[in-house]
Amino acid sequence: MTEVPPNLSGIKLIVIDNPPVNSLGLEVRRMLTREFASAEEDPAVKAVVLAGAGGKFSAGADIREFTDAKAVSQLYLGEVIDKIESLSKPVVAAVDGVALGGGLELALGCHFRVAGRTARVALPEITLGVLPGAGGTQRLPRAIEFAMAIEMATGGQMIGAGDKRLQGLFDEITEGDPRRAAILFAAKIIADGIGPRRLSEKAIPAEPAEAALQAARERLLPNPVPAMAAVLECLDDAIHRDFRTGLANERTRFGQVVGTPEARALQHAFFAEREVSKVPGITPETPVLPVEAIAVIGAGTMGRGISIAALDAGFAVTLVDVEAAALERALGAIESHYRTMVERKRLSEADADERRKRLTGSVDLSAAAREADLVIEAVFEDLKVKQEVLAKLDAAAGPNTILATNTSTLDVDALAVATSRPGQVVGMHFFSPANIMRLVEVVRGRATSDSTLATALKVVSRLRKVGVVAGVCDGFIGNRMLEEYLRQAYFLLDEGALPHEVDGALERWGMAMGPLRMMDLAGNDIGWAIRKRRKVEQPDRPYSAIPDLICERGRFGQKTGAGFYRYDGRKAIPDPEVDALVAEHSASLGFKRREIDAEEIVQRCIYALVNEGASVLADGIALRASDIDVVYLAGYGFPRYRGGPMHYANEVGLGRVVAAMQRFQQGYQGKFWEPSPLLAELARSGGRFK
Ligand code: 3H9
């Protein structure tokens, strides 16, 4: 794994070669220890260059070790880095590709740093629920401005090596090969007789650092992720305590947070998002059709959002609506979106112009389909309407064109048979607003070919979104589960809770938005239409009448200025009129309303998700439990530090989840609490969702 070429006139090259990302697992730590010790001993070595193979310096610690405290502490990375820093001969890091987390800490332990112009660095530990545990909180603020070190350690974002805010981190930025530049750099310091230069020996001026830290505390605390307070404490140490004490405390704090449920959840989310792209039947050899031109059919909210997402990702887009007025409105809305982006300095005028040029509006569905590699229909959610549109598209489109439907509930197989190319029909279920939400459910119909699926997934990844493969069923993964979540939220109103109590409990628990505010945002009329259909299809699965009563009063949500709340702009204000309506409805059911505490609200709503999630899994609609988690994290505002509903249920313990469900079975509408057979079985056998 090491490539140690013969001495380059006194320079020893040490290369980390641990594909795919040069993570710093035990073997690498052993190699570094061995090679640096030998460099120290060898009188022929005058300087060392440390580089990474495969165009990457290192992506940091091996995250898979974090579940095992012993594995982390064996040849602790921080100690390895300390040894490197204490070498009596100068060490130059050649930073190529990425230096992340422990990788950046390793570079900081070197005496000099040379980076490629395109290299990126970060301390992403916080996104994994931990903190830099190998000296990052102590060395980075000694290398760059304190405020920037805080931003990196608390935000985790990647920064380009050439960014001015990294002033002090690199001794040289090269346009060429960083390894070669680092070797030349090392040769020069040998020639100039320059020795090691250690960040640990630098002092930090307390003056601006204190103020920056105080501001960060006010902004970031309290925080549900324990690592946040820990990282701020360690940064405080960097100002007030000597380097060694700071380092020791950092290690202790790392050890404390690495085993927290929040850290486990965030690490689960990291791996789940990578696992999701592994789809049976799809291999690197599966043919992916080239897609450059996309036609989006339907100029409603969804069509606009999809168009913007596609323009932002570099596609040529034709937005189609047979109604000229609707099309004009949509084109105007897209134009106004780009104008706002420019005004807010999120986009340059030139970039906005370039995107505008790739957009065409059309009222001619067939002409647009003829020119497109991929057509995404986002017309009215009605089987007949969609079948007709797809049949027209099929008749006009070229033989290789893929037809995607953005349906959120309809049967993709029934839509596919309306065309002569069911193998080239796939669901691409975007979430509103489609230019912002990261999730796309990619629905594999019975006939969808592997190549069509692979192409759709490729497009989703080009859109910089997360594609989760789902099977065909009403609501796919996300909305099928949401139905049970909403059912409970509404039943809670029947029984005694008020809208702001339901939302408040779930928002305090971590949901980005409570269910009722969410429905107000999405438009209550949409849910109403679905419920009307369900009443016919599933008469034995009743809902609370409250959301219908709300709709009957024209309270469709934010867009009508009133829904479960009153709206002042986007601000939801609890409305006594709704509270009275809710109380009246309970009375009409002959109910004495009861106090419902936050714990019960959260359990009923979240366990409803878990139970339906188990059925989704058992039915093969989702490929794995972690895919369900990705759906909820990327599309429904589920708190990342809880890992997603299935991970959360594993953490609670499936036995305890089922016990709570059995309690709820005794209560109001208890029939909805029959544990899914898979959940019941796992609970019985002490298993977990995998
Ligand atoms: C840390 O350093 C703690 C220290 O401060 C203290 C320690 C005491 N470990 O993302 P990709 C896997 S915390 C293990 O698809 P890309 C990944 O799961 C660490 N595995 O590629 C995937 O596996 P598989 C701080 C890792 O090109 C494969 O590599 N570092 C690690 O799109 C390819 O990954 C970070 O948070 C790892 N560190 O993106 C960096 N990294 O093929 C995390 C990746 O089996 N990593 N894998 O599915 C990243 O951000 C991206 O992976 C990276 C490459 C940008 C590097």
Side-chain angles (χ1 to χ4, degrees):
M1 68 189 298
T2 335
E3 177 201 321
V4 190
N7 277 354
L8 298 149
S9 53
I11 299 169
K12 178 178 172 108
L13 176 63
I14 300 177
V15 180
I16 304 165
D17 188 0
N18 185 23
V21 296
N22 293 333
S23 65
L24 305 169
L26 182 60
E27 278 313 304
V28 173
R29 302 200 295 276
R30 282 201 177 118
M31 178 280 287
L32 290 171
T33 308
R34 197 176 56 237
E35 294 301 333
F36 275 94
S38 111
E40 183 73 320
E41 279 161 21
D42 185 349
V45 174
K46 305 292 179 219
V48 179
V49 168
L50 176 62
K56 289 186 185 82
F57 185 71
S58 165
D62 184 343
I63 304 165
R64 289 175 213 272
E65 280 184 359
F66 290 179
T67 48
D68 178 358
K70 259 210 207 123
V72 175
S73 59
Q74 199 179 354
L75 255 189
Y76 190 71
L77 179 63
E79 285 175 7
V80 175
I81 294 175
D82 275 359
K83 282 244 172 64
I84 294 174
E85 196 192 43
S86 64
L87 214 77
S88 67
K89 302 167 184 181
V91 182
V92 184
V95 177
D96 198 1
V98 285
L100 308 177
L104 178 56
E105 293 173 295
L106 181 59
L108 287 163
C110 297
H111 305 133
F112 302 93
R113 286 162 293 278
V114 172
R117 170 76 58 197
T118 54
R120 289 171 305 158
V121 300
L123 287 179
E125 285 87 343
I126 194 71
T127 65
L128 299 165
V130 294
L131 63 143
T137 63
Q138 307 303 300
R139 288 195 182 90
L140 187 64
R142 287 174 159 86
I144 62 174
E145 242 183 43
F146 202 88
M148 185 59 186
I150 299 176
E151 202 180 310
M152 288 177 71
T154 59
Q157 70 283 26
M158 290 216 208
I159 317 273
D163 194 307
K164 285 201 283 292
R165 296 169 301 167
L166 293 180
Q167 184 77 36
L169 182 59
F170 295 111
D171 298 279
E172 188 183 316
I173 305 270
T174 174
E175 305 296 333
D177 172 20
R179 192 186 298 192
R180 190 180 138 74
I183 291 170
L184 293 176
F185 189 95
K188 185 157 178 353
I189 52 177
I190 297 173
D192 294 349
I194 296 174
R197 184 201 57 185
R198 300 181 179 93
L199 281 171
S200 60
E201 291 166 3
K202 265 184 84 177
I204 294 173
E207 199 40 53
E210 289 269 18
L213 196 55
Q214 187 48 30
R217 277 195 205 99
E218 282 163 22
R219 190 164 46 87
L220 299 166
L221 297 180
N223 195 290
V225 179
M228 190 59 89
V231 76
L232 290 169
E233 183 189 298
C234 291
L235 287 164
D236 189 87
D237 286 351
I239 314 174
H240 295 113
R241 303 172 92 171
D242 66 89
F243 181 81
R244 289 286 139 206
T245 312
L247 208 61
N249 188 35
E250 185 197 68
R251 181 173 177 170
T252 306
R253 298 295 265 141
F254 181 88
Q256 286 165 348
V257 299
V258 73
T260 56
E262 292 80 4
R264 275 197 298 275
L266 289 164
Q267 286 153 34
H268 166 77
F270 174 86
F271 287 116
E273 282 174 354
R274 279 152 184 87
E275 203 60 26
V276 83
S277 59
K278 293 168 193 154
V279 178
I282 309 290
T283 67
E285 283 71 49
T286 309
V288 172
L289 300 177
V291 174
E292 287 311 324
I294 299 181
V296 179
I297 316 298
T301 313
M302 214 20 128
R304 293 172 198 182
I306 297 171
S307 297
I308 293 172
L311 290 168
D312 290 349
F315 292 100
V317 176
T318 306
L319 177 58
V320 183
D321 203 300
V322 285
E323 271 186 47
L327 180 66
E328 278 314 307
R329 271 198 307 279
L331 293 174
I334 295 175
E335 168 52 29
S336 128
H337 164 82
Y338 281 124
R339 224 178 15 245
T340 311
M341 294 288 281
V342 171
E343 277 162 19
R344 293 190 183 156
K345 303 211 181 326
R346 298 235 205 106
L347 199 65
S348 73
E349 189 65 59
D351 284 344
D353 259 345
E354 191 272 327
R355 289 176 204 194
R356 287 178 182 117
K357 282 200 191 103
R358 281 188 276 107
L359 173 66
T360 318
S362 171
V363 288
D364 186 342
L365 190 123
S366 301
R370 254 193 309 278
E371 303 300 320
D373 306 313
L374 167 70
V375 184
I376 305 173
E377 72 74 19
V379 300
F380 188 65
E381 185 78 356
D382 177 273
L383 187 69
K384 273 234 163 64
V385 174
K386 284 197 191 275
Q387 280 175 330
E388 271 169 35
V389 166
L390 283 165
K392 267 195 202 137
L393 292 168
D394 179 43
N400 294 327
T401 301
I402 290 176
L403 304 181
T405 168
N406 179 51
T407 179
S408 54
T409 49
L410 300 174
D411 181 345
V412 172
D413 293 329
L415 292 171
V417 293
T419 74
S420 65
R421 60 180 87 197
Q424 286 154 261
V425 175
V426 65
M428 286 177 82
H429 178 213
F430 288 80
F431 288 70
S432 192
N435 53 318
I436 293 175
M437 297 299 286
R438 286 172 62 227
L439 177 67
V440 180
E441 285 178 319
V442 179
V443 186
R444 186 182 214 165
R446 215 176 15 240
T448 306
S449 73
D450 290 346
S451 165
T452 299
L453 189 72
T455 306
L457 286 167
K458 182 75 201 277
V459 169
V460 171
S461 126
R462 264 189 73 186
L463 294 171
R464 287 184 288 276
K465 295 189 185 292
V466 186
V468 180
V469 173
V472 175
C473 71
D474 194 341
F476 312 122
I477 300 173
N479 283 350
R480 173 168 158 184
M481 290 166 62
L482 188 76
E483 185 164 336
E484 300 311 317
Y485 174 77
L486 288 175
R487 197 190 307 279
Q488 289 304 319
Y490 299 145
F491 281 160
L492 285 161
L493 300 181
D494 281 359
E495 274 193 272
L498 293 173
H500 69 272
E501 291 167 345
V502 174
D503 284 347
L506 284 154
E507 285 166 15
R508 281 192 300 279
W509 185 80
M511 296 299 290
M513 200 181 270
L516 305 169
R517 274 211 306 136
M518 184 180 79
M519 290 316 287
D520 271 359
L521 182 66
N524 290 310
D525 47 333
I526 297 172
W528 198 19
I530 296 174
R531 284 192 301 277
K532 282 179 185 160
R533 176 155 64 86
R534 294 270 195 275
K535 261 181 205 151
V536 179
E537 292 168 0
Q538 310 172 347
D540 57 330
R541 292 175 67 77
Y543 283 92
S544 155
I546 289 174
D548 293 354
L549 294 172
I550 295 270
C551 287
E552 282 163 18
R553 282 160 181 72
R555 303 181 68 118
F556 292 163
Q558 253 189 49
K559 61 185 172 191
T560 56
F564 287 97
Y565 298 88
R566 215 159 45 74
Y567 284 87
D568 177 7
R570 287 188 190 170
K571 192 171 162 6
I573 303 164
D575 190 342
E577 203 179 306
V578 174
D579 296 356
L581 183 147
V582 165
E584 219 172 89
H585 177 66
S586 300
S588 78
L589 293 172
F591 257 31
K592 186 165 164 21
R593 287 173 66 78
R594 67 178 178 97
E595 286 268 325
I596 305 181
D597 63 23
E599 189 185 357
E600 182 178 341
I601 292 174
V602 169
Q603 285 189 349
R604 277 175 52 180
C605 291
I606 301 299
Y607 292 174
L609 283 180
V610 172
N611 199 30
E612 192 61 23
S615 300
V616 160
L617 198 59
D619 293 351
I621 299 300
L623 290 170
R624 43 184 98 79
S626 62
D627 283 11
I628 297 177
D629 288 335
V630 173
V631 164
Y632 266 77
L633 295 174
Y636 292 84
F638 200 94
R640 200 172 166 88
Y641 62 85
R642 295 196 191 272
M646 311 314 271
H647 174 84
Y648 177 72
N650 278 339
E651 285 280 321
V652 171
L654 301 187
R656 287 181 59 193
V657 171
V658 168
M661 289 173 57
Q662 284 162 344
R663 255 194 344 270
F664 301 145
Q665 270 180 324
Q666 311 309 315
Y668 178 55
Q669 296 285 8
K671 68 173 179 177
F672 287 100
W673 287 110
E674 187 63 43
S676 137
L678 174 64
L679 175 57
E681 175 47 35
L682 288 173
R684 225 182 345 262
S685 61
R688 293 163 65 85
F689 293 119
K690 295 248 172 62

